[in-house]
Amino acid sequence: MTTLTKEQMYDDIRRWKKEKNAVILAHYYQVGDIQDIADYVGDSLALAQKASQTDADIIVFCGVHFMAETAKLLSPQKKVLLPVMEAGCFMANMMDEAAIKKYREENPDTVILMYVNSTANCKQYADVCVTSSNALKIIDYYAKQGKKMLYGPDKNLGNYAMHKSNIKMDLWHGFCGIHNGLKPSDVEVAKKKYPNALFVAHPECNLDVLALADYVGSTKQLIEYVTASDAKEFIIGTEVGVIHEMEKRNPGKKFYILSDRLKCFEMKLTRLEDLYNCLKDETNEIEISKEVSEKAVKCVNKMLEFSK
Ligand code: SF4
């Protein structure tokens, strides 16, 4: 437990960043105090791109384990630190390495599209990685080649992509415990309470919830949509942390979280104090074996090629 104030911690963090040539990457679902001191705040795709481009020696990744792993895959020579090692992802843990390995062996000609929310061990068996920002584009590319596809682990984003594109794929039965729990009745209650608000949602929600949305998009796309919109009020159907950036960019607009349940416990495990101690002591380094890394990085690089 530190007795330092937030500003004192910020001062030390800024100093260590320079001394150690470190960069802090933070996901939009992190608490506001961490977003405010980070060098880059973004969604999974933007942070993966930053990780691949940085010339820092140390990357401190404020997010969950698979995100730091992705940064390590892209920068194997750098020290990648995760302030709280236990910060995992419910969805990523729903794909078991043995099961996807078996699928790969039994379906050698199927293109495996792997949501970035997956472990490096599972990414080894994928052909290409996707995020909610680029999934439709990548699925369309393989569909035009007449390929059979498996999409996983998120069945909801997979269902949404199939619904939008009319393309058939096999789906893994994974989901995000936060988004998947939303019901159409949550939306109906919120719309009655805030009749002038537009409802925006992340495609990790179920299709029956997405059907009620005025706009569906990735975290970054939702932020851009509410910023560009003439509307003044929005009901937010994704993790509550995103409202921090929405409010920063849109001081005159109001944002209402769809449900109090939209808080990712894993993302919120990381406190400013954890970031502070992690950078100070350079602890919690991500390690991936060379064998896994060399295979898993291929699908991430493939995704980045699609995103140029
Ligand atoms: S919000 Fe869902 S998908 Fe995102 S890190 Fe948390 S559990 Fe994983």
Side-chain angles (χ1 to χ4, degrees), residues 5-222:
T5 64
K6 181 171 97 173
E7 286 311 322
Q8 286 170 327
M9 283 197 265
Y10 276 5
D11 286 345
D12 286 342
I13 289 170
R14 286 191 192 102
R15 181 165 47 81
W16 291 330
K17 275 197 312 185
K18 274 195 195 141
E19 288 172 5
K20 295 168 184 264
N21 189 25
V23 67
I24 299 173
L25 307 183
H27 192 272
Y28 284 124
Y29 296 172
Q30 290 287 290
V31 294
D33 283 352
I34 288 181
Q35 292 191 39
D36 290 343
I37 188 68
D39 296 288
Y40 302 103
V41 184
D43 61 6
S44 304
L45 176 60
L47 294 176
Q49 285 167 324
K50 287 290 174 203
S52 70
Q53 293 157 359
T54 181
D55 55 7
D57 295 315
I58 298 176
I59 299 173
V60 186
F61 206 114
C62 298
V64 293
H65 197 272
F66 78 81
M67 296 178 174
E69 269 193 342
T70 307
K72 182 69 182 174
L73 288 176
L74 291 167
S75 302
Q77 74 290 2
K78 296 188 197 308
K79 195 181 251 191
V80 177
L81 309 175
L82 181 67
V84 177
M85 252 346 196
E86 298 74 31
C89 167
F90 181 90
M91 180 195 291
N93 294 338
M94 290 183 86
M95 183 180 272
D96 172 63
E97 184 191 346
I100 189 69
K101 182 171 186 277
K102 185 163 180 277
Y103 185 97
R104 172 83 289 168
E105 285 162 3
E106 291 173 353
N107 301 275
D109 298 328
T110 299
V111 174
I112 298 182
L113 298 115
M114 185 74 73
Y115 196 25
V116 71
N117 297 35
S118 52
T119 64
N121 282 346
C122 289
K123 284 187 176 82
Q124 294 180 85
Y125 304 100
D127 294 283
V128 62
C129 227
V130 307
T131 72
S132 45
S133 300
N134 58 27
L136 285 170
K137 181 178 168 187
I138 296 176
I139 289 165
D140 186 56
Y141 171 84
Y142 287 105
K144 282 190 176 131
Q145 296 182 7
K147 299 282 188 191
K148 186 171 179 253
M149 291 179 269
L150 167 75
Y151 179 81
D154 184 20
K155 71 179 173 68
N156 287 334
L157 180 54
N159 269 323
Y160 176 69
M162 288 204 291
H163 172 75
K164 289 290 282 184
S165 62
N166 240 342
I167 293 167
K168 289 267 169 278
M169 302 183 289
D170 284 348
L171 297 182
W172 205 262
H173 191 76
F175 53 83
C176 165
I178 314 302
H179 292 87
N180 190 63
L182 293 176
K183 301 270 177 295
S185 56
D186 293 317
V187 184
E188 284 152 19
V189 169
K191 282 194 165 186
K192 270 197 191 128
K193 196 167 171 192
Y194 306 112
N196 298 321
L198 295 181
F199 170 49
V200 299
H202 193 283
E204 286 174 14
C205 300
N206 273 294
L207 264 188
D208 53 1
V209 168
L210 298 177
L212 301 174
D214 296 289
Y215 180 72
V216 177
S218 68
T219 313
K220 177 170 174 273
Q221 289 164 343
L222 295 183

